[in-house]
Amino acid sequence: MAANGRKSIFITGAASGIGLACAKRFAAEGWFVGLSDIDQAGLKAALLAIGAANGSIHPLDVRDREGWENALGDFGRDTGGKADVLLNNAGVARFGVLEDMSDADCDIQIDINIKGVINGARAGLPLLKAAGGRLINVASCAGLYGSPKLAVYSATKFAVRGLSEALDVEYARHGVSVACVMPWFIETPILNAGASGTNEHMSDALRAGGLEVYPVEDAAQVVWEAAQGKALHYFVGKRAKQMRFASSHMPGVVRKQLRSRPLLST
């Protein structure tokens, strides 16, 4: 289905969670949505959810550079070679202390959360240049201060934040702007993350700590605002804004609080 002159957005991780919520939000605003994910059944359901006339599906493993070229090539044929927004949303987490992580647990987070975002930023630049568009990368509040039992995940989200800040300068000469969206914990499948060989999940820690979890619609609203705006950093949830302030102005307090909380298991 062609975009027919509408604004367009290409979304990774669009079959569920924040990606799907964003697809629904942008489609409701009249945008043409390129849905990409490794979950092909989920992509078909996502297209039904937004309406077949409002998007296209592009099976994609974000680790695959050739896959990126193919997916964006197909998307570009629907949009006249342009993309107003590329949303690097796909991400994974593994929850547990570092010494319990398998090599595979570490590698998949680095490969999807960092390499996948870099791949998207590089492959998507021609379409974004053609539209004077906006690259939006989804990081996390774990990219503001390292989160225990999410060490590798935190490292990847610090990387996404740093990449976004650098590209905001680099891509300006192409007429392309960059935004980095940093959510607090959002009600997505990523909360079911655990480490190989354990029964403990991130959701267990959140419940034990009494921490807020925000709905995906809150994240979609902030991504929508980021698509319209000019700022670099965007935060999802009141706790995200509090963490930004605390990590910037009271890092010692944050460290003390984190060290005072016992880990759920040893």
Side-chain angles (χ1 to χ4, degrees), residues 6-236:
R6 289 185 283 173
K7 285 192 172 183
S8 62
I9 180 172
F10 186 90
I11 302 174
T12 66
S16 63
I18 292 174
L20 179 57
C22 289
K24 292 177 179 178
R25 176 61 193 273
F26 279 78
E29 298 286 349
W31 287 47
F32 184 82
V33 183
L35 303 160
S36 73
D37 203 291
I38 201 169
D39 177 3
Q40 297 192 37
L43 284 179
K44 293 178 182 178
L47 185 59
L48 287 175
I50 69 170
N54 295 320
S56 54
I57 59 176
H58 308 275
L60 174 64
D61 183 335
V62 296
R63 297 169 289 186
D64 180 2
R65 292 190 179 108
E66 184 177 353
W68 267 105
E69 296 295 339
N70 293 335
L72 288 177
D74 290 342
F75 180 68
R77 280 187 281 276
D78 290 331
T79 63
K82 299 178 181 181
D84 293 282
V85 173
L86 190 151
L87 177 60
N88 267 322
N89 164 73
V92 297
R94 296 293 182 267
F95 184 74
V97 293
L98 184 60
E99 64 263 32
D100 289 343
M101 292 281 169
S102 67
D103 290 344
D105 286 334
C106 295
D107 289 348
I108 194 170
Q109 294 177 89
I110 293 168
D111 289 346
I112 292 177
N113 298 0
I114 300 178
K115 293 181 181 178
V117 172
I118 292 172
N119 290 342
R122 296 180 70 189
L125 182 56
L127 296 183
L128 291 170
K129 285 170 64 175
R134 191 143 164 85
L135 173 67
I136 302 178
N137 298 322
V138 177
S140 168
C141 284
L144 292 171
Y145 198 97
S147 301
K149 307 195 91 170
L150 286 169
V152 176
Y153 180 77
S154 291
T156 67
K157 294 306 183 178
F158 269 87
V160 170
R161 177 184 166 195
L163 178 73
S164 302
E165 291 169 355
L167 293 183
D168 180 56
V169 177
E170 290 188 17
Y171 280 9
R173 73 188 193 278
H174 300 304
V176 174
S177 61
V178 179
C180 183
V181 174
M182 287 176 274
W184 185 255
F185 294 106
I186 303 294
E187 189 63 61
T188 73
I190 209 167
L191 295 188
N192 297 322
S196 300
T198 73
N199 293 320
E200 184 185 5
H201 296 94
M202 196 189 309
S203 56
D204 300 325
L206 296 179
R207 284 195 295 270
L211 297 175
E212 294 94 336
V213 176
Y214 295 97
V216 290
E217 291 79 11
D218 286 9
Q221 172 62 26
V222 173
V223 172
W224 172 253
E225 293 169 2
Q228 315 304 314
K230 296 181 179 180
L232 173 57
H233 298 115
Y234 291 82
F235 299 88
V236 182

Side-chain angles (χ1 to χ4, degrees), residues 184 214 236-243:
W184 185 255
Y214 295 97
V236 182
K238 181 179 179 181
R239 288 297 295 267
K241 296 171 184 176
Q242 291 172 342
M243 175 58 78

Side-chain angles (χ1 to χ4, degrees), residues 97 148-149 200 258 261-266:
V97 293
K149 307 195 91 170
E200 184 185 5
L258 290 172
R261 296 174 182 171
L263 299 177
L264 292 185
S265 63
T266 58

